[in-house]
Amino acid sequence: MDLEQIEKTHSAEQPEATFAPSLATTSKKVFVKTYGCQMNVYDSQRMTDALAADGYAGTESIEDADLVLLNTCHIREKAAEKVYSELGRMRGLKAERAARGQEMVIGVAGCVAQAEGREILRREKAVDLVIGPQTYHRLPDALRRARGGEKVVETEYAIEDKFEHLPKPRRAEIIGRGVTAFLTVQEGCDKFCTFCVVPYTRGSEVSRPVAQIVAEAEKLADAGVRELTLLGQNVNAWHGEGPDGGEWGLGRLLYRLAEIPGIARLRYTTSHPRDMDDELIEAHRDLPALMPYLHLPVQAGSDRILKAMNRRHKAADYVRLIERIRAARPDMAMSGDFIVGFPGESDADFEATMQIVRDVGYAQAYSFKYSPRPGTPGADMKDHVAEAVKDERLQRLQALLNEQMRDFNAGMAGRTMDLLIEKPGRDQGQRVGRSPWLQPVIVDETAGEIGDIINVRITRAGHSLFAEPV
């Protein structure tokens, strides 16, 4: 899985959000901390939607929470240990509340929950509930059982469609989340890259039907969302049932979503090179709403390492694919993921990775040292690379990627573009917009209101971009 990593808190009630039926009548509060990728952010929102319907209001203060949920990620090194460290702190808070006669239920969700299961309950007695990413629709029932004194583990892959069983978010619950939103359309992975644990924590590839996706997108548009990002572990592998009973691909879905009034911008992440088909490339050519920014990870530039990673494509295949995409959309900016120090990586293999970066040219990229994930084939491979060598290679790669990112941003000076005004700026009198290439752009607050799409000229380009209305 290559989705961009984040870590944030998320609750059922943001300061500007309203959950009309429950907030006025409940005294139960939930605090959700989200680790990992955008899909976890989306999952946290859907869990809090379900909990709001079940009588829980959000809180930004963990000390006030009756329920604490850690929505975890298992991608990065020592992810599980980070969760256990956080749970140790929760244990003390739970004891303090118990001493005051107050309840605190502690739950672990997400991919660490799926991977560790009952081991979490064994190692941390303060945990009441463990729930995997395929069973969030069972959260209210699992929570009731946990509050009744049962130690609950829900990690069996659900046969039923979890999205169909999750409560549909009310319009009032969506308003205030912002003018951009995530929408999961595909989950799981059948690629089995040898470095990745996702097929074991998220299961096999599953695509949501078109009707579900369109209904959710229309609700988001009705609540003021202007830009929609479709999510999936392999989002361009999405093949869902269409309203005509046939199977649609992602390109056709994007054409349909572009018809929804209010949705002015579309994006999707994360893609696999093997699943970029002709229809999807043509959508980039034909749809003005589909933004010219594509996250398409290659991971390495050496064919030998790509084979060891089980990526099932060669470096030249990837470069030719980028050329086809840019021929369809000349202003396309590329983002990618890279792993250095995969078992057996030689100096020549690493230089091949540096070369593919030079050949493609990236506007943004994420790069990491390889770290073994227990249970994956890569962890059992021979010839693991020394940490000092990984460090040196990562520094060289990141220096090149940072240079490309600076050059890309600097090239924006003097250009005009459409800007989606997204939020207030850090300084008084400023607003921050989002460029078609995902860059933050700062404008004067008189340029427009949040949610407006305005035409601007970039006046200053550095780490941040500054613009004025045209």
Side-chain angles (χ1 to χ4, degrees), residues 191-195 298-300 304-312 338-340 342 345 370 381:
K191 301 299 188 289
F192 287 92
C193 298
T194 55
F195 55 80
V298 65
Q299 304 298 358
R304 193 174 71 84
I305 296 301
L306 287 170
K307 183 176 181 180
M309 288 177 167
N310 196 35
R311 293 291 288 177
R312 300 184 192 175
F338 295 90
I339 295 173
V340 302
F342 190 77
E345 184 186 70
Y370 172 74
M381 288 181 178

mmCIF file with all atom_site columns, all heavy atoms in Angstrom, residues 191-195 298-300 304-312 338-340 342 345 370 381:
data_model
loop_
_atom_site.group_PDB
_atom_site.id
_atom_site.type_symbol
_atom_site.label_atom_id
_atom_site.label_alt_id
_atom_site.label_comp_id
_atom_site.label_asym_id
_atom_site.label_entity_id
_atom_site.label_seq_id
_atom_site.pdbx_PDB_ins_code
_atom_site.Cartn_x
_atom_site.Cartn_y
_atom_site.Cartn_z
_atom_site.occupancy
_atom_site.B_iso_or_equiv
_atom_site.pdbx_formal_charge
_atom_site.auth_seq_id
_atom_site.auth_comp_id
_atom_site.auth_asym_id
_atom_site.auth_atom_id
_atom_site.pdbx_PDB_model_num
ATOM 1   N N   . LYS A 1 191 ? -2.063 -7.784  -4.980  1.00 0.00 ? 191 LYS A N   1
ATOM 2   C CA  . LYS A 1 191 ? -0.776 -7.713  -5.655  1.00 0.00 ? 191 LYS A CA  1
ATOM 3   C C   . LYS A 1 191 ? 0.325  -8.478  -4.915  1.00 0.00 ? 191 LYS A C   1
ATOM 4   O O   . LYS A 1 191 ? 1.264  -8.965  -5.521  1.00 0.00 ? 191 LYS A O   1
ATOM 5   C CB  . LYS A 1 191 ? -0.362 -6.247  -5.826  1.00 0.00 ? 191 LYS A CB  1
ATOM 6   C CG  . LYS A 1 191 ? -1.355 -5.399  -6.626  1.00 0.00 ? 191 LYS A CG  1
ATOM 7   C CD  . LYS A 1 191 ? -1.545 -5.924  -8.040  1.00 0.00 ? 191 LYS A CD  1
ATOM 8   C CE  . LYS A 1 191 ? -2.385 -4.982  -8.897  1.00 0.00 ? 191 LYS A CE  1
ATOM 9   N NZ  . LYS A 1 191 ? -3.798 -4.951  -8.542  1.00 0.00 ? 191 LYS A NZ  1
ATOM 10  N N   . PHE A 1 192 ? 0.255  -8.529  -3.599  1.00 0.00 ? 192 PHE A N   1
ATOM 11  C CA  . PHE A 1 192 ? 1.213  -9.266  -2.772  1.00 0.00 ? 192 PHE A CA  1
ATOM 12  C C   . PHE A 1 192 ? 2.657  -8.862  -3.069  1.00 0.00 ? 192 PHE A C   1
ATOM 13  O O   . PHE A 1 192 ? 3.527  -9.705  -3.305  1.00 0.00 ? 192 PHE A O   1
ATOM 14  C CB  . PHE A 1 192 ? 1.031  -10.781 -2.929  1.00 0.00 ? 192 PHE A CB  1
ATOM 15  C CG  . PHE A 1 192 ? -0.210 -11.294 -2.252  1.00 0.00 ? 192 PHE A CG  1
ATOM 16  C CD1 . PHE A 1 192 ? -1.410 -11.403 -2.942  1.00 0.00 ? 192 PHE A CD1 1
ATOM 17  C CD2 . PHE A 1 192 ? -0.200 -11.629 -0.904  1.00 0.00 ? 192 PHE A CD2 1
ATOM 18  C CE1 . PHE A 1 192 ? -2.570 -11.854 -2.321  1.00 0.00 ? 192 PHE A CE1 1
ATOM 19  C CE2 . PHE A 1 192 ? -1.347 -12.083 -0.265  1.00 0.00 ? 192 PHE A CE2 1
ATOM 20  C CZ  . PHE A 1 192 ? -2.538 -12.193 -0.980  1.00 0.00 ? 192 PHE A CZ  1
ATOM 21  N N   . CYS A 1 193 ? 2.912  -7.547  -3.051  1.00 0.00 ? 193 CYS A N   1
ATOM 22  C CA  . CYS A 1 193 ? 4.306  -7.089  -3.067  1.00 0.00 ? 193 CYS A CA  1
ATOM 23  C C   . CYS A 1 193 ? 4.996  -7.659  -1.834  1.00 0.00 ? 193 CYS A C   1
ATOM 24  O O   . CYS A 1 193 ? 4.409  -7.703  -0.745  1.00 0.00 ? 193 CYS A O   1
ATOM 25  C CB  . CYS A 1 193 ? 4.364  -5.568  -3.050  1.00 0.00 ? 193 CYS A CB  1
ATOM 26  S SG  . CYS A 1 193 ? 3.590  -4.796  -4.493  1.00 0.00 ? 193 CYS A SG  1
ATOM 27  N N   . THR A 1 194 ? 6.229  -8.090  -1.997  1.00 0.00 ? 194 THR A N   1
ATOM 28  C CA  . THR A 1 194 ? 6.879  -8.843  -0.921  1.00 0.00 ? 194 THR A CA  1
ATOM 29  C C   . THR A 1 194 ? 7.254  -7.999  0.282   1.00 0.00 ? 194 THR A C   1
ATOM 30  O O   . THR A 1 194 ? 7.589  -8.538  1.337   1.00 0.00 ? 194 THR A O   1
ATOM 31  C CB  . THR A 1 194 ? 8.138  -9.544  -1.458  1.00 0.00 ? 194 THR A CB  1
ATOM 32  O OG1 . THR A 1 194 ? 8.999  -8.564  -2.063  1.00 0.00 ? 194 THR A OG1 1
ATOM 33  C CG2 . THR A 1 194 ? 7.773  -10.595 -2.500  1.00 0.00 ? 194 THR A CG2 1
ATOM 34  N N   . PHE A 1 195 ? 7.178  -6.659  0.156   1.00 0.00 ? 195 PHE A N   1
ATOM 35  C CA  . PHE A 1 195 ? 7.502  -5.774  1.280   1.00 0.00 ? 195 PHE A CA  1
ATOM 36  C C   . PHE A 1 195 ? 6.269  -5.380  2.076   1.00 0.00 ? 195 PHE A C   1
ATOM 37  O O   . PHE A 1 195 ? 6.388  -4.739  3.122   1.00 0.00 ? 195 PHE A O   1
ATOM 38  C CB  . PHE A 1 195 ? 8.203  -4.507  0.784   1.00 0.00 ? 195 PHE A CB  1
ATOM 39  C CG  . PHE A 1 195 ? 7.440  -3.756  -0.271  1.00 0.00 ? 195 PHE A CG  1
ATOM 40  C CD1 . PHE A 1 195 ? 6.389  -2.917  0.064   1.00 0.00 ? 195 PHE A CD1 1
ATOM 41  C CD2 . PHE A 1 195 ? 7.769  -3.886  -1.608  1.00 0.00 ? 195 PHE A CD2 1
ATOM 42  C CE1 . PHE A 1 195 ? 5.672  -2.239  -0.913  1.00 0.00 ? 195 PHE A CE1 1
ATOM 43  C CE2 . PHE A 1 195 ? 7.075  -3.200  -2.594  1.00 0.00 ? 195 PHE A CE2 1
ATOM 44  C CZ  . PHE A 1 195 ? 6.021  -2.372  -2.243  1.00 0.00 ? 195 PHE A CZ  1
ATOM 45  N N   . VAL A 1 298 ? 6.434  3.568   -8.107  1.00 0.00 ? 298 VAL A N   1
ATOM 46  C CA  . VAL A 1 298 ? 7.235  2.571   -8.817  1.00 0.00 ? 298 VAL A CA  1
ATOM 47  C C   . VAL A 1 298 ? 8.072  1.758   -7.836  1.00 0.00 ? 298 VAL A C   1
ATOM 48  O O   . VAL A 1 298 ? 8.411  0.615   -8.098  1.00 0.00 ? 298 VAL A O   1
ATOM 49  C CB  . VAL A 1 298 ? 8.129  3.233   -9.887  1.00 0.00 ? 298 VAL A CB  1
ATOM 50  C CG1 . VAL A 1 298 ? 9.169  4.145   -9.263  1.00 0.00 ? 298 VAL A CG1 1
ATOM 51  C CG2 . VAL A 1 298 ? 8.791  2.188   -10.771 1.00 0.00 ? 298 VAL A CG2 1
ATOM 52  N N   . GLN A 1 299 ? 8.455  2.350   -6.704  1.00 0.00 ? 299 GLN A N   1
ATOM 53  C CA  . GLN A 1 299 ? 9.193  1.736   -5.591  1.00 0.00 ? 299 GLN A CA  1
ATOM 54  C C   . GLN A 1 299 ? 10.687 1.578   -5.850  1.00 0.00 ? 299 GLN A C   1
ATOM 55  O O   . GLN A 1 299 ? 11.484 1.753   -4.942  1.00 0.00 ? 299 GLN A O   1
ATOM 56  C CB  . GLN A 1 299 ? 8.582  0.379   -5.180  1.00 0.00 ? 299 GLN A CB  1
ATOM 57  C CG  . GLN A 1 299 ? 7.123  0.414   -4.809  1.00 0.00 ? 299 GLN A CG  1
ATOM 58  C CD  . GLN A 1 299 ? 6.812  1.278   -3.605  1.00 0.00 ? 299 GLN A CD  1
ATOM 59  O OE1 . GLN A 1 299 ? 7.695  1.858   -2.975  1.00 0.00 ? 299 GLN A OE1 1
ATOM 60  N NE2 . GLN A 1 299 ? 5.529  1.406   -3.278  1.00 0.00 ? 299 GLN A NE2 1
ATOM 61  N N   . ALA A 1 300 ? 11.097 1.217   -7.055  1.00 0.00 ? 300 ALA A N   1
ATOM 62  C CA  . ALA A 1 300 ? 12.519 1.028   -7.359  1.00 0.00 ? 300 ALA A CA  1
ATOM 63  C C   . ALA A 1 300 ? 12.720 1.151   -8.861  1.00 0.00 ? 300 ALA A C   1
ATOM 64  O O   . ALA A 1 300 ? 11.772 1.020   -9.638  1.00 0.00 ? 300 ALA A O   1
ATOM 65  C CB  . ALA A 1 300 ? 13.012 -0.331  -6.862  1.00 0.00 ? 300 ALA A CB  1
ATOM 66  N N   . ARG A 1 304 ? 15.795 -6.012  -11.359 1.00 0.00 ? 304 ARG A N   1
ATOM 67  C CA  . ARG A 1 304 ? 16.069 -7.131  -10.445 1.00 0.00 ? 304 ARG A CA  1
ATOM 68  C C   . ARG A 1 304 ? 15.350 -6.935  -9.110  1.00 0.00 ? 304 ARG A C   1
ATOM 69  O O   . ARG A 1 304 ? 14.750 -7.875  -8.570  1.00 0.00 ? 304 ARG A O   1
ATOM 70  C CB  . ARG A 1 304 ? 17.580 -7.247  -10.216 1.00 0.00 ? 304 ARG A CB  1
ATOM 71  C CG  . ARG A 1 304 ? 18.024 -8.545  -9.545  1.00 0.00 ? 304 ARG A CG  1
ATOM 72  C CD  . ARG A 1 304 ? 19.533 -8.623  -9.503  1.00 0.00 ? 304 ARG A CD  1
ATOM 73  N NE  . ARG A 1 304 ? 20.093 -7.669  -8.558  1.00 0.00 ? 304 ARG A NE  1
ATOM 74  C CZ  . ARG A 1 304 ? 20.207 -7.902  -7.246  1.00 0.00 ? 304 ARG A CZ  1
ATOM 75  N NH1 . ARG A 1 304 ? 19.805 -9.058  -6.741  1.00 0.00 ? 304 ARG A NH1 1
ATOM 76  N NH2 . ARG A 1 304 ? 20.728 -6.999  -6.450  1.00 0.00 ? 304 ARG A NH2 1
ATOM 77  N N   . ILE A 1 305 ? 15.381 -5.717  -8.603  1.00 0.00 ? 305 ILE A N   1
ATOM 78  C CA  . ILE A 1 305 ? 14.705 -5.432  -7.335  1.00 0.00 ? 305 ILE A CA  1
ATOM 79  C C   . ILE A 1 305 ? 13.194 -5.416  -7.519  1.00 0.00 ? 305 ILE A C   1
ATOM 80  O O   . ILE A 1 305 ? 12.434 -5.907  -6.663  1.00 0.00 ? 305 ILE A O   1
ATOM 81  C CB  . ILE A 1 305 ? 15.217 -4.107  -6.733  1.00 0.00 ? 305 ILE A CB  1
ATOM 82  C CG1 . ILE A 1 305 ? 16.699 -4.232  -6.382  1.00 0.00 ? 305 ILE A CG1 1
ATOM 83  C CG2 . ILE A 1 305 ? 14.409 -3.731  -5.496  1.00 0.00 ? 305 ILE A CG2 1
ATOM 84  C CD1 . ILE A 1 305 ? 17.029 -5.327  -5.386  1.00 0.00 ? 305 ILE A CD1 1
ATOM 85  N N   . LEU A 1 306 ? 12.716 -4.878  -8.640  1.00 0.00 ? 306 LEU A N   1
ATOM 86  C CA  . LEU A 1 306 ? 11.277 -4.901  -8.902  1.00 0.00 ? 306 LEU A CA  1
ATOM 87  C C   . LEU A 1 306 ? 10.752 -6.336  -8.947  1.00 0.00 ? 306 LEU A C   1
ATOM 88  O O   . LEU A 1 306 ? 9.652  -6.621  -8.447  1.00 0.00 ? 306 LEU A O   1
ATOM 89  C CB  . LEU A 1 306 ? 10.971 -4.186  -10.228 1.00 0.00 ? 306 LEU A CB  1
ATOM 90  C CG  . LEU A 1 306 ? 11.100 -2.665  -10.216 1.00 0.00 ? 306 LEU A CG  1
ATOM 91  C CD1 . LEU A 1 306 ? 11.008 -2.112  -11.633 1.00 0.00 ? 306 LEU A CD1 1
ATOM 92  C CD2 . LEU A 1 306 ? 10.042 -2.026  -9.323  1.00 0.00 ? 306 LEU A CD2 1
ATOM 93  N N   . LYS A 1 307 ? 11.515 -7.237  -9.517  1.00 0.00 ? 307 LYS A N   1
ATOM 94  C CA  . LYS A 1 307 ? 11.110 -8.645  -9.539  1.00 0.00 ? 307 LYS A CA  1
ATOM 95  C C   . LYS A 1 307 ? 11.095 -9.217  -8.131  1.00 0.00 ? 307 LYS A C   1
ATOM 96  O O   . LYS A 1 307 ? 10.164 -9.933  -7.749  1.00 0.00 ? 307 LYS A O   1
ATOM 97  C CB  . LYS A 1 307 ? 12.052 -9.444  -10.432 1.00 0.00 ? 307 LYS A CB  1
ATOM 98  C CG  . LYS A 1 307 ? 11.659 -10.911 -10.583 1.00 0.00 ? 307 LYS A CG  1
ATOM 99  C CD  . LYS A 1 307 ? 12.577 -11.638 -11.564 1.00 0.00 ? 307 LYS A CD  1
ATOM 100 C CE  . LYS A 1 307 ? 12.137 -13.107 -11.721 1.00 0.00 ? 307 LYS A CE  1
ATOM 101 N NZ  . LYS A 1 307 ? 13.017 -13.830 -12.669 1.00 0.00 ? 307 LYS A NZ  1
ATOM 102 N N   . ALA A 1 308 ? 12.112 -8.900  -7.331  1.00 0.00 ? 308 ALA A N   1
ATOM 103 C CA  . ALA A 1 308 ? 12.149 -9.384  -5.943  1.00 0.00 ? 308 ALA A CA  1
ATOM 104 C C   . ALA A 1 308 ? 11.000 -8.813  -5.127  1.00 0.00 ? 308 ALA A C   1
ATOM 105 O O   . ALA A 1 308 ? 10.500 -9.460  -4.201  1.00 0.00 ? 308 ALA A O   1
ATOM 106 C CB  . ALA A 1 308 ? 13.486 -9.018  -5.301  1.00 0.00 ? 308 ALA A CB  1
ATOM 107 N N   . MET A 1 309 ? 10.564 -7.618  -5.474  1.00 0.00 ? 309 MET A N   1
ATOM 108 C CA  . MET A 1 309 ? 9.420  -6.994  -4.796  1.00 0.00 ? 309 MET A CA  1
ATOM 109 C C   . MET A 1 309 ? 8.083  -7.535  -5.290  1.00 0.00 ? 309 MET A C   1
ATOM 110 O O   . MET A 1 309 ? 7.040  -7.195  -4.735  1.00 0.00 ? 309 MET A O   1
ATOM 111 C CB  . MET A 1 309 ? 9.442  -5.472  -5.031  1.00 0.00 ? 309 MET A CB  1
ATOM 112 C CG  . MET A 1 309 ? 10.522 -4.717  -4.299  1.00 0.00 ? 309 MET A CG  1
ATOM 113 S SD  . MET A 1 309 ? 10.444 -2.946  -4.758  1.00 0.00 ? 309 MET A SD  1
ATOM 114 C CE  . MET A 1 309 ? 11.509 -2.235  -3.506  1.00 0.00 ? 309 MET A CE  1
ATOM 115 N N   . ASN A 1 310 ? 8.100  -8.322  -6.362  1.00 0.00 ? 310 ASN A N   1
ATOM 116 C CA  . ASN A 1 310 ? 6.885  -8.861  -6.987  1.00 0.00 ? 310 ASN A CA  1
ATOM 117 C C   . ASN A 1 310 ? 6.001  -7.750  -7.539  1.00 0.00 ? 310 ASN A C   1
ATOM 118 O O   . ASN A 1 310 ? 4.771  -7.829  -7.503  1.00 0.00 ? 310 ASN A O   1
ATOM 119 C CB  . ASN A 1 310 ? 6.073  -9.719  -6.000  1.00 0.00 ? 310 ASN A CB  1
ATOM 120 C CG  . ASN A 1 310 ? 5.045  -10.582 -6.700  1.00 0.00 ? 310 ASN A CG  1
ATOM 121 O OD1 . ASN A 1 310 ? 5.276  -11.069 -7.810  1.00 0.00 ? 310 ASN A OD1 1
ATOM 122 N ND2 . ASN A 1 310 ? 3.900  -10.776 -6.076  1.00 0.00 ? 310 ASN A ND2 1
ATOM 123 N N   . ARG A 1 311 ? 6.632  -6.727  -8.111  1.00 0.00 ? 311 ARG A N   1
ATOM 124 C CA  . ARG A 1 311 ? 5.862  -5.627  -8.695  1.00 0.00 ? 311 ARG A CA  1
ATOM 125 C C   . ARG A 1 311 ? 5.278  -5.993  -10.064 1.00 0.00 ? 311 ARG A C   1
ATOM 126 O O   . ARG A 1 311 ? 4.347  -5.356  -10.543 1.00 0.00 ? 311 ARG A O   1
ATOM 127 C CB  . ARG A 1 311 ? 6.749  -4.382  -8.829  1.00 0.00 ? 311 ARG A CB  1
ATOM 128 C CG  . ARG A 1 311 ? 7.174  -3.782  -7.505  1.00 0.00 ? 311 ARG A CG  1
ATOM 129 C CD  . ARG A 1 311 ? 6.034  -3.166  -6.763  1.00 0.00 ? 311 ARG A CD  1
ATOM 130 N NE  . ARG A 1 311 ? 5.573  -1.922  -7.383  1.00 0.00 ? 311 ARG A NE  1
ATOM 131 C CZ  . ARG A 1 311 ? 4.538  -1.221  -6.951  1.00 0.00 ? 311 ARG A CZ  1
ATOM 132 N NH1 . ARG A 1 311 ? 3.818  -1.647  -5.921  1.00 0.00 ? 311 ARG A NH1 1
ATOM 133 N NH2 . ARG A 1 311 ? 4.179  -0.094  -7.558  1.00 0.00 ? 311 ARG A NH2 1
ATOM 134 N N   . ARG A 1 312 ? 5.872  -6.957  -10.740 1.00 0.00 ? 312 ARG A N   1
ATOM 135 C CA  . ARG A 1 312 ? 5.361  -7.486  -12.015 1.00 0.00 ? 312 ARG A CA  1
ATOM 136 C C   . ARG A 1 312 ? 5.329  -6.452  -13.136 1.00 0.00 ? 312 ARG A C   1
ATOM 137 O O   . ARG A 1 312 ? 4.447  -6.466  -13.989 1.00 0.00 ? 312 ARG A O   1
ATOM 138 C CB  . ARG A 1 312 ? 3.977  -8.115  -11.823 1.00 0.00 ? 312 ARG A CB  1
ATOM 139 C CG  . ARG A 1 312 ? 3.980  -9.272  -10.832 1.00 0.00 ? 312 ARG A CG  1
ATOM 140 C CD  . ARG A 1 312 ? 2.622  -9.926  -10.748 1.00 0.00 ? 312 ARG A CD  1
ATOM 141 N NE  . ARG A 1 312 ? 2.542  -10.840 -9.618  1.00 0.00 ? 312 ARG A NE  1
ATOM 142 C CZ  . ARG A 1 312 ? 1.443  -11.469 -9.246  1.00 0.00 ? 312 ARG A CZ  1
ATOM 143 N NH1 . ARG A 1 312 ? 0.317  -11.288 -9.925  1.00 0.00 ? 312 ARG A NH1 1
ATOM 144 N NH2 . ARG A 1 312 ? 1.441  -12.270 -8.204  1.00 0.00 ? 312 ARG A NH2 1
ATOM 145 N N   . PHE A 1 338 ? 9.131  5.449   -3.060  1.00 0.00 ? 338 PHE A N   1
ATOM 146 C CA  . PHE A 1 338 ? 10.381 4.736   -3.273  1.00 0.00 ? 338 PHE A CA  1
ATOM 147 C C   . PHE A 1 338 ? 10.828 4.068   -1.983  1.00 0.00 ? 338 PHE A C   1
ATOM 148 O O   . PHE A 1 338 ? 10.699 4.642   -0.902  1.00 0.00 ? 338 PHE A O   1
ATOM 149 C CB  . PHE A 1 338 ? 11.484 5.688   -3.755  1.00 0.00 ? 338 PHE A CB  1
ATOM 150 C CG  . PHE A 1 338 ? 11.200 6.284   -5.104  1.00 0.00 ? 338 PHE A CG  1
ATOM 151 C CD1 . PHE A 1 338 ? 10.506 7.478   -5.214  1.00 0.00 ? 338 PHE A CD1 1
ATOM 152 C CD2 . PHE A 1 338 ? 11.590 5.634   -6.254  1.00 0.00 ? 338 PHE A CD2 1
ATOM 153 C CE1 . PHE A 1 338 ? 10.218 8.022   -6.454  1.00 0.00 ? 338 PHE A CE1 1
ATOM 154 C CE2 . PHE A 1 338 ? 11.309 6.168   -7.502  1.00 0.00 ? 338 PHE A CE2 1
ATOM 155 C CZ  . PHE A 1 338 ? 10.625 7.356   -7.605  1.00 0.00 ? 338 PHE A CZ  1
ATOM 156 N N   . ILE A 1 339 ? 11.324 2.868   -2.124  1.00 0.00 ? 339 ILE A N   1
ATOM 157 C CA  . ILE A 1 339 ? 11.907 2.116   -1.006  1.00 0.00 ? 339 ILE A CA  1
ATOM 158 C C   . ILE A 1 339 ? 13.376 1.900   -1.322  1.00 0.00 ? 339 ILE A C   1
ATOM 159 O O   . ILE A 1 339 ? 13.718 1.380   -2.396  1.00 0.00 ? 339 ILE A O   1
ATOM 160 C CB  . ILE A 1 339 ? 11.206 0.769   -0.807  1.00 0.00 ? 339 ILE A CB  1
ATOM 161 C CG1 . ILE A 1 339 ? 9.749  0.975   -0.398  1.00 0.00 ? 339 ILE A CG1 1
ATOM 162 C CG2 . ILE A 1 339 ? 11.937 -0.078  0.242   1.00 0.00 ? 339 ILE A CG2 1
ATOM 163 C CD1 . ILE A 1 339 ? 8.935  -0.303  -0.344  1.00 0.00 ? 339 ILE A CD1 1
ATOM 164 N N   . VAL A 1 340 ? 14.265 2.298   -0.415  1.00 0.00 ? 340 VAL A N   1
ATOM 165 C CA  . VAL A 1 340 ? 15.690 2.028   -0.594  1.00 0.00 ? 340 VAL A CA  1
ATOM 166 C C   . VAL A 1 340 ? 16.115 0.933   0.393   1.00 0.00 ? 340 VAL A C   1
ATOM 167 O O   . VAL A 1 340 ? 15.524 0.776   1.457   1.00 0.00 ? 340 VAL A O   1
ATOM 168 C CB  . VAL A 1 340 ? 16.549 3.292   -0.381  1.00 0.00 ? 340 VAL A CB  1
ATOM 169 C CG1 . VAL A 1 340 ? 16.128 4.387   -1.327  1.00 0.00 ? 340 VAL A CG1 1
ATOM 170 C CG2 . VAL A 1 340 ? 16.489 3.777   1.058   1.00 0.00 ? 340 VAL A CG2 1
ATOM 171 N N   . PHE A 1 342 ? 16.077 -2.392  -0.114  1.00 0.00 ? 342 PHE A N   1
ATOM 172 C CA  . PHE A 1 342 ? 15.375 -3.670  -0.135  1.00 0.00 ? 342 PHE A CA  1
ATOM 173 C C   . PHE A 1 342 ? 16.409 -4.793  -0.150  1.00 0.00 ? 342 PHE A C   1
ATOM 174 O O   . PHE A 1 342 ? 17.507 -4.626  -0.690  1.00 0.00 ? 342 PHE A O   1
ATOM 175 C CB  . PHE A 1 342 ? 14.476 -3.752  -1.371  1.00 0.00 ? 342 PHE A CB  1
ATOM 176 C CG  . PHE A 1 342 ? 13.528 -4.913  -1.360  1.00 0.00 ? 342 PHE A CG  1
ATOM 177 C CD1 . PHE A 1 342 ? 12.378 -4.877  -0.586  1.00 0.00 ? 342 PHE A CD1 1
ATOM 178 C CD2 . PHE A 1 342 ? 13.793 -6.053  -2.104  1.00 0.00 ? 342 PHE A CD2 1
ATOM 179 C CE1 . PHE A 1 342 ? 11.499 -5.945  -0.558  1.00 0.00 ? 342 PHE A CE1 1
ATOM 180 C CE2 . PHE A 1 342 ? 12.927 -7.129  -2.088  1.00 0.00 ? 342 PHE A CE2 1
ATOM 181 C CZ  . PHE A 1 342 ? 11.776 -7.073  -1.307  1.00 0.00 ? 342 PHE A CZ  1
ATOM 182 N N   . GLU A 1 345 ? 19.637 -5.236  -2.522  1.00 0.00 ? 345 GLU A N   1
ATOM 183 C CA  . GLU A 1 345 ? 19.871 -4.055  -3.350  1.00 0.00 ? 345 GLU A CA  1
ATOM 184 C C   . GLU A 1 345 ? 21.356 -3.702  -3.375  1.00 0.00 ? 345 GLU A C   1
ATOM 185 O O   . GLU A 1 345 ? 21.965 -3.417  -2.341  1.00 0.00 ? 345 GLU A O   1
ATOM 186 C CB  . GLU A 1 345 ? 19.066 -2.862  -2.818  1.00 0.00 ? 345 GLU A CB  1
ATOM 187 C CG  . GLU A 1 345 ? 19.192 -1.610  -3.686  1.00 0.00 ? 345 GLU A CG  1
ATOM 188 C CD  . GLU A 1 345 ? 18.501 -0.407  -3.074  1.00 0.00 ? 345 GLU A CD  1
ATOM 189 O OE1 . GLU A 1 345 ? 19.003 0.113   -2.047  1.00 0.00 ? 345 GLU A OE1 1
ATOM 190 O OE2 . GLU A 1 345 ? 17.458 0.006   -3.607  1.00 0.00 ? 345 GLU A OE2 1
ATOM 191 N N   . TYR A 1 370 ? 13.758 0.491   3.633   1.00 0.00 ? 370 TYR A N   1
ATOM 192 C CA  . TYR A 1 370 ? 13.038 -0.767  3.791   1.00 0.00 ? 370 TYR A CA  1
ATOM 193 C C   . TYR A 1 370 ? 13.110 -1.217  5.243   1.00 0.00 ? 370 TYR A C   1
ATOM 194 O O   . TYR A 1 370 ? 14.171 -1.199  5.872   1.00 0.00 ? 370 TYR A O   1
ATOM 195 C CB  . TYR A 1 370 ? 13.638 -1.854  2.891   1.00 0.00 ? 370 TYR A CB  1
ATOM 196 C CG  . TYR A 1 370 ? 13.030 -3.212  3.175   1.00 0.00 ? 370 TYR A CG  1
ATOM 197 C CD1 . TYR A 1 370 ? 11.742 -3.511  2.758   1.00 0.00 ? 370 TYR A CD1 1
ATOM 198 C CD2 . TYR A 1 370 ? 13.732 -4.174  3.898   1.00 0.00 ? 370 TYR A CD2 1
ATOM 199 C CE1 . TYR A 1 370 ? 11.158 -4.726  3.044   1.00 0.00 ? 370 TYR A CE1 1
ATOM 200 C CE2 . TYR A 1 370 ? 13.161 -5.407  4.190   1.00 0.00 ? 370 TYR A CE2 1
ATOM 201 C CZ  . TYR A 1 370 ? 11.879 -5.676  3.759   1.00 0.00 ? 370 TYR A CZ  1
ATOM 202 O OH  . TYR A 1 370 ? 11.302 -6.888  4.051   1.00 0.00 ? 370 TYR A OH  1
ATOM 203 N N   . MET A 1 381 ? 13.833 -12.792 3.403   1.00 0.00 ? 381 MET A N   1
ATOM 204 C CA  . MET A 1 381 ? 14.843 -12.799 2.352   1.00 0.00 ? 381 MET A CA  1
ATOM 205 C C   . MET A 1 381 ? 16.251 -12.660 2.928   1.00 0.00 ? 381 MET A C   1
ATOM 206 O O   . MET A 1 381 ? 16.447 -12.141 4.040   1.00 0.00 ? 381 MET A O   1
ATOM 207 C CB  . MET A 1 381 ? 14.576 -11.665 1.356   1.00 0.00 ? 381 MET A CB  1
ATOM 208 C CG  . MET A 1 381 ? 13.371 -11.899 0.471   1.00 0.00 ? 381 MET A CG  1
ATOM 209 S SD  . MET A 1 381 ? 13.130 -10.534 -0.708  1.00 0.00 ? 381 MET A SD  1
ATOM 210 C CE  . MET A 1 381 ? 11.720 -11.133 -1.616  1.00 0.00 ? 381 MET A CE  1
#
